[in-house]
Amino acid sequence: MEEVELCFPQLNTSCWKTKRPLSQTVLIYMVLSFISLLTVTLNLLVIISISHFKQLQSPTNLLILSLAVSDFFVAFDMLFQVMLINGCWLLGDLMCTLYSVLNYTVTSTSIGIMVLISIDRYVAICDPLHYSTKVTPGRVQVCVLLCWILSFFYGIIMLIDILKQPGIYNSCVGECVLSCDIIQQFSDFIILFLIPITVIVVLYTRVFVVAVSQAQAMRSHIAAVSLERSVTITVKKSEIKAAGTLGVVIVVFIICICPYFCVTLKTQDSFTSASSVSIVLCLYDSNSCLNPLIYALFYPWFRKSIKLIFTLQILKPGSCETNML
């Protein structure tokens, strides 16, 4: 049985923390710190790539850029998870409140961006003739901005009690507890999980049905098409490939987020301690590191941009006009 000790030994009202072997503690801290650093670095590469190279600033890539920004902030959440692994919050009630708002905002935004990506791929594959008129960079930017704003206000509404009085639900010093009654838990499950995941699954099911039918049509008629038709087919293939890559991103996202909502929904009491869900939060946060790795695996433009960034080629005049595709 593990030994326990106080988070703040000088305070009688301090919370208890689990005392782990030093080697285990160091290993946990090193792994989480490494993942956090890797998450920051990889997502920063995505942000620089799409922001710098004009050819990459398509509506779809603007959504990827927005996802990278939210993933970038997730890395800071992971730093807080390091201390929560031992069950102690050492930064005070105000920082607990700010951390909770940031986590709510970033989590909600990531989910919203995933829905927007699904809509983007749905229009691109199922209504390609009207894609350029329906999905424009301006409309994408507006949707992304609304996603961030709505996510922020949703977090404010859900955390209104601790915003008014930080630490109001803490039972001891060194705790970071959120007011989370069954109604709030159910609201989170419906708004942040059930509805978005249902929309994503329905849209992507339709996308892959259409993509498969298009691929079969391409194979059956490939020998008889004209040059102009061949160009059209190439465009469709690129859209289908993009749909497949982003489909992998979405599947990984769903796998990482499911345990988080399962654990929080099963919480029996009316409060949720940040430390009690720290493990599933770490799993969810690790998804932010996996996304850029998926881009590197499937997107040649991302690998090329990484090379140009690390060789400092992007500092040359006119580098933003480089052919990346």
Side-chain angles (χ1 to χ4, degrees):
M1 185 174 179
E2 294 179 322
E3 297 180 5
V4 293
E5 61 181 23
L6 294 174
C7 297
F8 297 93
Q10 70 276 17
L11 297 177
N12 293 330
T13 56
S14 172
C15 300
W16 294 89
K17 72 175 181 179
T18 301
K19 182 176 176 61
R20 292 184 173 89
L22 180 61
S23 58
Q24 184 180 352
T25 302
V26 171
L27 178 62
I28 292 174
Y29 287 175
M30 288 181 62
V31 170
L32 289 180
S33 299
F34 173 76
I35 294 176
S36 178
L37 179 61
L38 186 63
T39 301
V40 168
T41 303
L42 292 176
N43 283 288
L44 192 58
L45 288 173
V46 176
I47 294 170
I48 293 173
S49 299
I50 299 177
S51 300
H52 181 76
F53 297 109
K54 293 183 178 180
Q55 195 177 20
L56 298 180
Q57 294 170 7
S58 65
T60 301
N61 283 352
L62 289 178
L63 291 174
I64 292 177
L65 171 62
S66 303
L67 184 62
V69 172
S70 63
D71 287 343
F72 178 83
F73 284 108
V74 166
F76 293 99
D77 278 352
M78 295 181 69
L79 293 177
F80 293 123
Q81 300 307 318
V82 171
M83 68 180 68
L84 290 175
I85 290 296
N86 282 338
C88 292
W89 181 262
L90 307 178
L91 301 180
D93 294 336
L94 180 60
M95 282 301 297
C96 172
T97 301
L98 295 177
Y99 158 72
S100 302
V101 172
L102 175 63
N103 186 61
Y104 243 108
T105 302
V106 172
T107 300
S108 303
T109 301
S110 296
I111 295 170
I113 298 298
M114 288 296 181
V115 173
L116 292 177
I117 287 175
S118 300
I119 295 173
D120 171 79
R121 289 300 86 199
Y122 175 80
V123 177
I125 300 299
C126 300
D127 192 12
L129 296 179
H130 299 97
Y131 176 78
S132 59
T133 56
K134 288 184 177 180
V135 183
T136 63
R139 289 180 178 177
V140 169
Q141 291 171 6
V142 170
C143 290
V144 169
L145 180 60
L146 285 175
C147 187
W148 278 95
I149 293 174
L150 292 175
S151 297
F152 174 74
F153 281 107
Y154 179 75
I156 295 295
I157 292 172
M158 298 300 288
L159 301 172
I160 189 67
D161 289 340
I162 65 171
L163 284 170
K164 291 180 178 178
Q165 186 176 345
I168 186 174
Y169 297 115
N170 292 349
S171 60
C172 53
V173 179
E175 204 170 29
C176 182
V177 174
L178 317 179
S179 172
C180 193
D181 59 31
I182 190 63
I183 296 177
Q184 290 176 323
Q185 291 176 352
F186 190 71
S187 298
D188 273 354
F189 179 76
I190 297 296
I191 296 174
L192 298 182
F193 182 77
L194 188 59
I195 293 177
I197 297 304
T198 300
V199 172
I200 289 171
V201 170
V202 169
L203 290 179
Y204 251 88
T205 299
R206 178 60 179 164
V207 164
F208 282 110
V209 168
V210 174
V212 169
S213 64
Q214 286 185 357
Q216 291 175 342
M218 289 177 192
R219 285 194 296 268
S220 61
H221 298 289
I222 190 66
V225 296
S226 63
L227 178 60
E228 182 179 353
R229 180 60 177 163
S230 295
V231 173
T232 302
I233 288 177
T234 301
V235 172
K236 286 186 176 181
K237 282 184 176 179
S238 66
E239 296 290 1
I240 292 173
K241 182 178 180 181
T245 301
L246 295 174
V248 173
V249 171
I250 288 174
V251 169
V252 172
F253 174 79
I254 293 174
I255 292 173
C256 290
I257 200 174
C258 278
Y260 171 76
F261 281 100
C262 289
V263 169
T264 54
L265 191 64
K266 286 182 178 180
T267 303
Q268 299 299 316
D269 54 31
S270 58
F271 304 102
T272 299
S273 168
S275 60
S276 67
V277 293
S278 59
I279 300 299
V280 290
L281 273 175
C282 288
L283 176 61
Y284 168 70
D285 290 346
S286 67
N287 173 74
S288 299
C289 181
L290 296 176
N291 288 339
L293 294 178
I294 295 172
Y295 304 149
L297 185 63
F298 291 99
Y299 283 142
W301 61 258
F302 185 50
R303 296 193 295 272
K304 183 176 181 179
S305 66
I306 291 176
K307 181 179 178 180
L308 293 175
I309 291 171
F310 279 107
T311 57
L312 303 181
Q313 296 297 308
I314 63 169
L315 300 180
K316 291 184 177 180
S319 62
C320 61
E321 304 290 344
T322 302
N323 182 19
M324 301 297 296
L325 301 176

PDB file of all heavy atoms in Angstrom, residues 127-151:
ATOM      1  N   ASP A 127     -20.171  17.828 -52.743  1.00  0.00           N
ATOM      2  CA  ASP A 127     -20.647  18.927 -53.583  1.00  0.00           C
ATOM      3  C   ASP A 127     -19.458  19.711 -54.132  1.00  0.00           C
ATOM      4  O   ASP A 127     -19.314  20.913 -53.885  1.00  0.00           O
ATOM      5  CB  ASP A 127     -21.562  19.856 -52.760  1.00  0.00           C
ATOM      6  CG  ASP A 127     -22.322  20.839 -53.632  1.00  0.00           C
ATOM      7  OD1 ASP A 127     -22.335  20.664 -54.874  1.00  0.00           O
ATOM      8  OD2 ASP A 127     -22.898  21.804 -53.079  1.00  0.00           O
ATOM      9  N   PRO A 128     -18.577  19.043 -54.898  1.00  0.00           N
ATOM     10  CA  PRO A 128     -17.318  19.676 -55.326  1.00  0.00           C
ATOM     11  C   PRO A 128     -17.504  20.874 -56.248  1.00  0.00           C
ATOM     12  O   PRO A 128     -16.678  21.781 -56.259  1.00  0.00           O
ATOM     13  CB  PRO A 128     -16.582  18.533 -56.048  1.00  0.00           C
ATOM     14  CG  PRO A 128     -17.661  17.591 -56.469  1.00  0.00           C
ATOM     15  CD  PRO A 128     -18.706  17.666 -55.399  1.00  0.00           C
ATOM     16  N   LEU A 129     -18.596  20.902 -57.041  1.00  0.00           N
ATOM     17  CA  LEU A 129     -18.805  22.004 -57.981  1.00  0.00           C
ATOM     18  C   LEU A 129     -19.060  23.335 -57.273  1.00  0.00           C
ATOM     19  O   LEU A 129     -18.766  24.402 -57.816  1.00  0.00           O
ATOM     20  CB  LEU A 129     -19.970  21.680 -58.920  1.00  0.00           C
ATOM     21  CG  LEU A 129     -19.771  20.470 -59.843  1.00  0.00           C
ATOM     22  CD1 LEU A 129     -21.010  20.237 -60.700  1.00  0.00           C
ATOM     23  CD2 LEU A 129     -18.539  20.684 -60.736  1.00  0.00           C
ATOM     24  N   HIS A 130     -19.616  23.270 -56.075  1.00  0.00           N
ATOM     25  CA  HIS A 130     -19.933  24.489 -55.340  1.00  0.00           C
ATOM     26  C   HIS A 130     -19.004  24.720 -54.144  1.00  0.00           C
ATOM     27  O   HIS A 130     -19.232  25.633 -53.346  1.00  0.00           O
ATOM     28  CB  HIS A 130     -21.391  24.448 -54.839  1.00  0.00           C
ATOM     29  CG  HIS A 130     -22.394  24.345 -55.943  1.00  0.00           C
ATOM     30  ND1 HIS A 130     -22.959  23.149 -56.342  1.00  0.00           N
ATOM     31  CD2 HIS A 130     -22.932  25.304 -56.752  1.00  0.00           C
ATOM     32  CE1 HIS A 130     -23.810  23.361 -57.333  1.00  0.00           C
ATOM     33  NE2 HIS A 130     -23.806  24.655 -57.604  1.00  0.00           N
ATOM     34  N   TYR A 131     -17.970  23.880 -54.020  1.00  0.00           N
ATOM     35  CA  TYR A 131     -17.089  23.973 -52.858  1.00  0.00           C
ATOM     36  C   TYR A 131     -16.414  25.335 -52.764  1.00  0.00           C
ATOM     37  O   TYR A 131     -16.377  25.960 -51.701  1.00  0.00           O
ATOM     38  CB  TYR A 131     -16.030  22.872 -52.912  1.00  0.00           C
ATOM     39  CG  TYR A 131     -15.014  22.959 -51.787  1.00  0.00           C
ATOM     40  CD1 TYR A 131     -15.327  22.528 -50.508  1.00  0.00           C
ATOM     41  CD2 TYR A 131     -13.736  23.488 -52.010  1.00  0.00           C
ATOM     42  CE1 TYR A 131     -14.408  22.609 -49.470  1.00  0.00           C
ATOM     43  CE2 TYR A 131     -12.808  23.578 -50.986  1.00  0.00           C
ATOM     44  CZ  TYR A 131     -13.151  23.138 -49.716  1.00  0.00           C
ATOM     45  OH  TYR A 131     -12.238  23.240 -48.702  1.00  0.00           O
ATOM     46  N   SER A 132     -15.871  25.831 -53.896  1.00  0.00           N
ATOM     47  CA  SER A 132     -15.117  27.087 -53.885  1.00  0.00           C
ATOM     48  C   SER A 132     -15.994  28.287 -53.549  1.00  0.00           C
ATOM     49  O   SER A 132     -15.487  29.309 -53.060  1.00  0.00           O
ATOM     50  CB  SER A 132     -14.434  27.303 -55.239  1.00  0.00           C
ATOM     51  OG  SER A 132     -15.400  27.346 -56.280  1.00  0.00           O
ATOM     52  N   THR A 133     -17.289  28.189 -53.808  1.00  0.00           N
ATOM     53  CA  THR A 133     -18.186  29.307 -53.498  1.00  0.00           C
ATOM     54  C   THR A 133     -18.775  29.183 -52.099  1.00  0.00           C
ATOM     55  O   THR A 133     -19.041  30.187 -51.440  1.00  0.00           O
ATOM     56  CB  THR A 133     -19.329  29.383 -54.523  1.00  0.00           C
ATOM     57  OG1 THR A 133     -20.029  28.130 -54.566  1.00  0.00           O
ATOM     58  CG2 THR A 133     -18.774  29.703 -55.914  1.00  0.00           C
ATOM     59  N   LYS A 134     -18.971  27.952 -51.640  1.00  0.00           N
ATOM     60  CA  LYS A 134     -19.540  27.743 -50.307  1.00  0.00           C
ATOM     61  C   LYS A 134     -18.494  27.863 -49.208  1.00  0.00           C
ATOM     62  O   LYS A 134     -18.767  28.395 -48.130  1.00  0.00           O
ATOM     63  CB  LYS A 134     -20.216  26.366 -50.231  1.00  0.00           C
ATOM     64  CG  LYS A 134     -21.520  26.256 -51.009  1.00  0.00           C
ATOM     65  CD  LYS A 134     -22.148  24.890 -50.798  1.00  0.00           C
ATOM     66  CE  LYS A 134     -23.492  24.773 -51.501  1.00  0.00           C
ATOM     67  NZ  LYS A 134     -24.121  23.438 -51.294  1.00  0.00           N
ATOM     68  N   VAL A 135     -17.299  27.329 -49.464  1.00  0.00           N
ATOM     69  CA  VAL A 135     -16.238  27.317 -48.449  1.00  0.00           C
ATOM     70  C   VAL A 135     -15.127  28.259 -48.897  1.00  0.00           C
ATOM     71  O   VAL A 135     -14.271  27.901 -49.700  1.00  0.00           O
ATOM     72  CB  VAL A 135     -15.686  25.900 -48.234  1.00  0.00           C
ATOM     73  CG1 VAL A 135     -14.646  25.907 -47.113  1.00  0.00           C
ATOM     74  CG2 VAL A 135     -16.807  24.919 -47.913  1.00  0.00           C
ATOM     75  N   THR A 136     -15.137  29.468 -48.381  1.00  0.00           N
ATOM     76  CA  THR A 136     -14.124  30.471 -48.707  1.00  0.00           C
ATOM     77  C   THR A 136     -13.271  30.755 -47.474  1.00  0.00           C
ATOM     78  O   THR A 136     -13.705  30.518 -46.342  1.00  0.00           O
ATOM     79  CB  THR A 136     -14.789  31.780 -49.165  1.00  0.00           C
ATOM     80  OG1 THR A 136     -15.565  32.323 -48.074  1.00  0.00           O
ATOM     81  CG2 THR A 136     -15.712  31.537 -50.357  1.00  0.00           C
ATOM     82  N   PRO A 137     -12.049  31.263 -47.684  1.00  0.00           N
ATOM     83  CA  PRO A 137     -11.196  31.586 -46.531  1.00  0.00           C
ATOM     84  C   PRO A 137     -11.874  32.534 -45.541  1.00  0.00           C
ATOM     85  O   PRO A 137     -11.732  32.383 -44.332  1.00  0.00           O
ATOM     86  CB  PRO A 137      -9.967  32.239 -47.178  1.00  0.00           C
ATOM     87  CG  PRO A 137      -9.896  31.611 -48.532  1.00  0.00           C
ATOM     88  CD  PRO A 137     -11.329  31.437 -48.962  1.00  0.00           C
ATOM     89  N   GLY A 138     -12.618  33.512 -46.062  1.00  0.00           N
ATOM     90  CA  GLY A 138     -13.304  34.456 -45.182  1.00  0.00           C
ATOM     91  C   GLY A 138     -14.340  33.780 -44.306  1.00  0.00           C
ATOM     92  O   GLY A 138     -14.419  34.050 -43.099  1.00  0.00           O
ATOM     93  N   ARG A 139     -15.136  32.897 -44.887  1.00  0.00           N
ATOM     94  CA  ARG A 139     -16.152  32.191 -44.114  1.00  0.00           C
ATOM     95  C   ARG A 139     -15.517  31.254 -43.093  1.00  0.00           C
ATOM     96  O   ARG A 139     -16.026  31.115 -41.970  1.00  0.00           O
ATOM     97  CB  ARG A 139     -17.062  31.407 -45.060  1.00  0.00           C
ATOM     98  CG  ARG A 139     -17.990  32.288 -45.885  1.00  0.00           C
ATOM     99  CD  ARG A 139     -18.874  31.469 -46.802  1.00  0.00           C
ATOM    100  NE  ARG A 139     -19.783  32.325 -47.560  1.00  0.00           N
ATOM    101  CZ  ARG A 139     -20.632  31.878 -48.477  1.00  0.00           C
ATOM    102  NH1 ARG A 139     -20.679  30.571 -48.760  1.00  0.00           N
ATOM    103  NH2 ARG A 139     -21.424  32.724 -49.121  1.00  0.00           N
ATOM    104  N   VAL A 140     -14.427  30.625 -43.487  1.00  0.00           N
ATOM    105  CA  VAL A 140     -13.731  29.741 -42.551  1.00  0.00           C
ATOM    106  C   VAL A 140     -13.208  30.529 -41.356  1.00  0.00           C
ATOM    107  O   VAL A 140     -13.332  30.103 -40.201  1.00  0.00           O
ATOM    108  CB  VAL A 140     -12.565  29.008 -43.260  1.00  0.00           C
ATOM    109  CG1 VAL A 140     -11.672  28.306 -42.236  1.00  0.00           C
ATOM    110  CG2 VAL A 140     -13.108  27.993 -44.253  1.00  0.00           C
ATOM    111  N   GLN A 141     -12.623  31.688 -41.608  1.00  0.00           N
ATOM    112  CA  GLN A 141     -12.097  32.522 -40.522  1.00  0.00           C
ATOM    113  C   GLN A 141     -13.205  32.962 -39.568  1.00  0.00           C
ATOM    114  O   GLN A 141     -13.013  32.967 -38.348  1.00  0.00           O
ATOM    115  CB  GLN A 141     -11.382  33.738 -41.109  1.00  0.00           C
ATOM    116  CG  GLN A 141     -10.081  33.392 -41.825  1.00  0.00           C
ATOM    117  CD  GLN A 141      -9.507  34.573 -42.594  1.00  0.00           C
ATOM    118  OE1 GLN A 141     -10.014  35.688 -42.517  1.00  0.00           O
ATOM    119  NE2 GLN A 141      -8.437  34.326 -43.345  1.00  0.00           N
ATOM    120  N   VAL A 142     -14.358  33.316 -40.122  1.00  0.00           N
ATOM    121  CA  VAL A 142     -15.493  33.716 -39.292  1.00  0.00           C
ATOM    122  C   VAL A 142     -15.966  32.548 -38.426  1.00  0.00           C
ATOM    123  O   VAL A 142     -16.221  32.706 -37.223  1.00  0.00           O
ATOM    124  CB  VAL A 142     -16.657  34.240 -40.161  1.00  0.00           C
ATOM    125  CG1 VAL A 142     -17.923  34.422 -39.317  1.00  0.00           C
ATOM    126  CG2 VAL A 142     -16.280  35.550 -40.828  1.00  0.00           C
ATOM    127  N   CYS A 143     -16.066  31.364 -39.036  1.00  0.00           N
ATOM    128  CA  CYS A 143     -16.508  30.177 -38.291  1.00  0.00           C
ATOM    129  C   CYS A 143     -15.540  29.827 -37.170  1.00  0.00           C
ATOM    130  O   CYS A 143     -15.958  29.484 -36.056  1.00  0.00           O
ATOM    131  CB  CYS A 143     -16.665  28.990 -39.250  1.00  0.00           C
ATOM    132  SG  CYS A 143     -18.061  29.125 -40.389  1.00  0.00           S
ATOM    133  N   VAL A 144     -14.253  29.926 -37.460  1.00  0.00           N
ATOM    134  CA  VAL A 144     -13.233  29.619 -36.445  1.00  0.00           C
ATOM    135  C   VAL A 144     -13.299  30.625 -35.300  1.00  0.00           C
ATOM    136  O   VAL A 144     -13.230  30.253 -34.116  1.00  0.00           O
ATOM    137  CB  VAL A 144     -11.829  29.612 -37.075  1.00  0.00           C
ATOM    138  CG1 VAL A 144     -10.755  29.568 -35.991  1.00  0.00           C
ATOM    139  CG2 VAL A 144     -11.676  28.418 -38.014  1.00  0.00           C
ATOM    140  N   LEU A 145     -13.448  31.902 -35.634  1.00  0.00           N
ATOM    141  CA  LEU A 145     -13.546  32.937 -34.602  1.00  0.00           C
ATOM    142  C   LEU A 145     -14.771  32.710 -33.719  1.00  0.00           C
ATOM    143  O   LEU A 145     -14.688  32.807 -32.489  1.00  0.00           O
ATOM    144  CB  LEU A 145     -13.623  34.317 -35.262  1.00  0.00           C
ATOM    145  CG  LEU A 145     -13.722  35.517 -34.310  1.00  0.00           C
ATOM    146  CD1 LEU A 145     -12.497  35.577 -33.394  1.00  0.00           C
ATOM    147  CD2 LEU A 145     -13.868  36.815 -35.097  1.00  0.00           C
ATOM    148  N   LEU A 146     -15.898  32.384 -34.338  1.00  0.00           N
ATOM    149  CA  LEU A 146     -17.115  32.097 -33.573  1.00  0.00           C
ATOM    150  C   LEU A 146     -16.911  30.877 -32.680  1.00  0.00           C
ATOM    151  O   LEU A 146     -17.413  30.838 -31.539  1.00  0.00           O
ATOM    152  CB  LEU A 146     -18.287  31.858 -34.527  1.00  0.00           C
ATOM    153  CG  LEU A 146     -18.874  33.098 -35.208  1.00  0.00           C
ATOM    154  CD1 LEU A 146     -19.940  32.681 -36.219  1.00  0.00           C
ATOM    155  CD2 LEU A 146     -19.464  34.061 -34.182  1.00  0.00           C
ATOM    156  N   CYS A 147     -16.179  29.896 -33.178  1.00  0.00           N
ATOM    157  CA  CYS A 147     -15.913  28.677 -32.406  1.00  0.00           C
ATOM    158  C   CYS A 147     -15.132  29.013 -31.136  1.00  0.00           C
ATOM    159  O   CYS A 147     -15.472  28.536 -30.043  1.00  0.00           O
ATOM    160  CB  CYS A 147     -15.134  27.688 -33.274  1.00  0.00           C
ATOM    161  SG  CYS A 147     -14.918  26.062 -32.534  1.00  0.00           S
ATOM    162  N   TRP A 148     -14.114  29.852 -31.249  1.00  0.00           N
ATOM    163  CA  TRP A 148     -13.326  30.263 -30.088  1.00  0.00           C
ATOM    164  C   TRP A 148     -14.165  31.076 -29.102  1.00  0.00           C
ATOM    165  O   TRP A 148     -14.110  30.859 -27.889  1.00  0.00           O
ATOM    166  CB  TRP A 148     -12.109  31.087 -30.527  1.00  0.00           C
ATOM    167  CG  TRP A 148     -10.947  30.261 -30.967  1.00  0.00           C
ATOM    168  CD1 TRP A 148     -10.630  29.887 -32.242  1.00  0.00           C
ATOM    169  CD2 TRP A 148      -9.936  29.677 -30.118  1.00  0.00           C
ATOM    170  NE1 TRP A 148      -9.490  29.119 -32.252  1.00  0.00           N
ATOM    171  CE2 TRP A 148      -9.041  28.979 -30.976  1.00  0.00           C
ATOM    172  CE3 TRP A 148      -9.704  29.689 -28.744  1.00  0.00           C
ATOM    173  CZ2 TRP A 148      -7.938  28.294 -30.475  1.00  0.00           C
ATOM    174  CZ3 TRP A 148      -8.596  29.009 -28.251  1.00  0.00           C
ATOM    175  CH2 TRP A 148      -7.733  28.317 -29.108  1.00  0.00           C
ATOM    176  N   ILE A 149     -14.952  32.007 -29.630  1.00  0.00           N
ATOM    177  CA  ILE A 149     -15.766  32.875 -28.760  1.00  0.00           C
ATOM    178  C   ILE A 149     -16.824  32.070 -28.015  1.00  0.00           C
ATOM    179  O   ILE A 149     -16.992  32.208 -26.790  1.00  0.00           O
ATOM    180  CB  ILE A 149     -16.435  33.990 -29.595  1.00  0.00           C
ATOM    181  CG1 ILE A 149     -15.380  34.951 -30.141  1.00  0.00           C
ATOM    182  CG2 ILE A 149     -17.460  34.757 -28.752  1.00  0.00           C
ATOM    183  CD1 ILE A 149     -15.930  35.999 -31.093  1.00  0.00           C
ATOM    184  N   LEU A 150     -17.529  31.211 -28.732  1.00  0.00           N
ATOM    185  CA  LEU A 150     -18.578  30.401 -28.100  1.00  0.00           C
ATOM    186  C   LEU A 150     -17.981  29.444 -27.073  1.00  0.00           C
ATOM    187  O   LEU A 150     -18.574  29.209 -26.010  1.00  0.00           O
ATOM    188  CB  LEU A 150     -19.354  29.625 -29.167  1.00  0.00           C
ATOM    189  CG  LEU A 150     -20.215  30.479 -30.113  1.00  0.00           C
ATOM    190  CD1 LEU A 150     -20.842  29.600 -31.193  1.00  0.00           C
ATOM    191  CD2 LEU A 150     -21.297  31.226 -29.340  1.00  0.00           C
ATOM    192  N   SER A 151     -16.814  28.879 -27.376  1.00  0.00           N
ATOM    193  CA  SER A 151     -16.149  27.969 -26.443  1.00  0.00           C
ATOM    194  C   SER A 151     -15.762  28.695 -25.159  1.00  0.00           C
ATOM    195  O   SER A 151     -15.925  28.166 -24.053  1.00  0.00           O
ATOM    196  CB  SER A 151     -14.896  27.363 -27.086  1.00  0.00           C
ATOM    197  OG  SER A 151     -15.229  26.582 -28.216  1.00  0.00           O
TER     198      SER A 151
END
